Amino acid sequence: MMIKESSLRRDPDLGGELALLAKGCDFVLPSRFKKRLKSFQQAQVQSKQEKKPGTSSPVPLNSVVSPCALPVNKATSSTPLSVNIPRFYFPKGLPNVCTNHEEIIARIEEAFAEFEDEKANICEMGKIAKICGCPLYWKAPMFSASGGQRTGCVSVHSFVSLWRKILHNCHDDASRFAYLVAKPNCAYLEQEDFIPLLQDVVETHPGLTFLKDAPEFHSRYITTVIQRIFYTVNRSWSGKITLTELRKSNFLQTLALLEEEDDINQITDYFSYEHFYVIYCKFWELDTDHDLYISQKDLARYSDQGIIKPVFFWVFSRGNEVHKEGRMSYADFVWLLISEEDKRNATSIEYWFRCMDLDGDGVLSMYELEYFYEEQCERMEVMGIEPLPFQDLLCQMLDLVKPEREGRVTLRDLKRCRMAHVFYNTFFNLEKYLDNEQRDPFAVQKDFENDGPEPSDWDRYAAEEYEILVAEESGNEQLQEG
């Protein structure tokens, strides 16, 4: 029996429910209301089909229709197939299912069996590191992570327990190194995390044996290496090296080279003693009271006052504790010296961009460029050199950099143009600016086009300065003997 629309409206209960539905309220109809509503909807469909001319009469509601004869809407009735997306993100490296972990553990236990009481000291951990497939100088982090610093030795049980966790959770060198070196449950590396590793390098590397008689220089060398590591690796400037940064750098590869190269000066990245010697001697010359801090007055003597004053003001106002006292620590001086002598590397370009971006808007405006060039002009006038008008100089610099937006130089523009060193020296290093003005333009173009594995500006500077320092030291010794 069909239910007419009028009878449906006269039903007070169903009418109330429908009124709530019209207002957007959620409700669940009782079963008897559902049946009546379904009958009403079917009647509506049948009446529409009767009104259409030329359409076949609908199938009676009480007739039996075979399920096979009913049309199927595949888009709605078919069950959606589940798509199995394979895992593509492995923050701790891609697991290697072919590695036999138990075989490695067995070899470790055999090696510990050769040690007295199945315990290893830090030197014996070198053998364990090689069995684990790690570079030799991972031995100090392995020793510390296994509790060796507390007890003076590492037992087979403590190390096997540690290495099982690493094999299970860490699947590449970067994640394993970070697990060993970083603090517990810490996903990044801080500066102090590198101290045990570098102390072991100082004490055991053949190229640093002469430092055994000069323990006061151990901390200076370690500080230099740590600052060079963070200068190169920590691209985010956060003071915390992440796994991604560690993987993108060459630090782990360079660390592995230490066991293959006895002359540590051949490893110019991070560990060169000659580079440390140059940096520390430069700092020592400026630090007149030798308290390991330099003032603005001390720093102004660097490079015969070749760097303009606004640069020093920025360097001493970056906001850390030392700079608030108007002094610069040795660690900060490492960053300054490398950035000053090698303005081609990415960190140096960022370092000096921050210096020149006075308002911190991420863009060097024409006002900021003119501000820095004004003091350059004053110095040139004192020297009797007629400076180039700012508008002419500006045209040269914009032609050099070719910024994407006219009149606005961004960090991206400077990195892309590959001539950032010329740009920076023009605005705040008078000596290097004048040297560049006197250079052959074809030589500048040759430097621009050279993509070969040439030594960096820093490597060249350090080599030249080291020869000068050694010659001066030899001359002083001869004078004393004479």
Side-chain angles (χ1 to χ4, degrees), residues 181-297:
V181 174
K183 300 175 181 65
N185 301 319
C186 197
Y188 50 81
L189 302 175
E190 296 179 304
Q191 293 192 10
E192 59 268 22
D193 297 333
F194 289 86
I195 294 177
L197 181 151
L198 297 176
Q199 186 65 47
D200 180 55
V201 172
V202 170
E203 294 174 353
T204 62
H205 194 277
L208 296 172
T209 52
F210 59 90
L211 278 181
K212 289 183 179 179
D213 299 328
E216 66 273 13
F217 287 102
H218 289 190
S219 62
R220 311 285 188 272
Y221 175 79
I222 291 173
T223 299
T224 305
V225 175
I226 289 175
Q227 296 309 315
R228 294 191 67 186
I229 291 171
F230 275 77
Y231 184 92
T232 304
V233 180
N234 187 211
R235 301 297 303 118
S236 63
W237 290 66
S238 64
K240 300 173 182 179
I241 296 177
T242 64
L243 284 177
T244 301
E245 291 175 330
L246 191 60
R247 290 189 183 103
K248 289 182 178 180
S249 74
N250 68 340
F251 173 71
L252 293 181
Q253 294 86 339
T254 306
L255 181 63
L257 291 176
L258 289 176
E259 63 182 287
E260 302 174 9
E261 181 58 67
D262 289 344
D263 185 1
I264 201 165
N265 293 316
Q266 296 299 316
I267 306 176
T268 55
D269 292 339
Y270 315 113
F271 297 101
S272 171
Y273 180 81
E274 292 181 358
H275 289 195
F276 155 70
Y277 188 79
V278 169
I279 296 172
Y280 190 71
C281 286
K282 288 293 180 183
F283 182 82
W284 189 257
E285 291 172 0
L286 300 175
D287 183 21
T288 53
D289 56 2
H290 303 312
D291 62 347
L292 296 180
Y293 292 99
I294 56 177
S295 64
Q296 293 189 39
K297 184 178 179 181

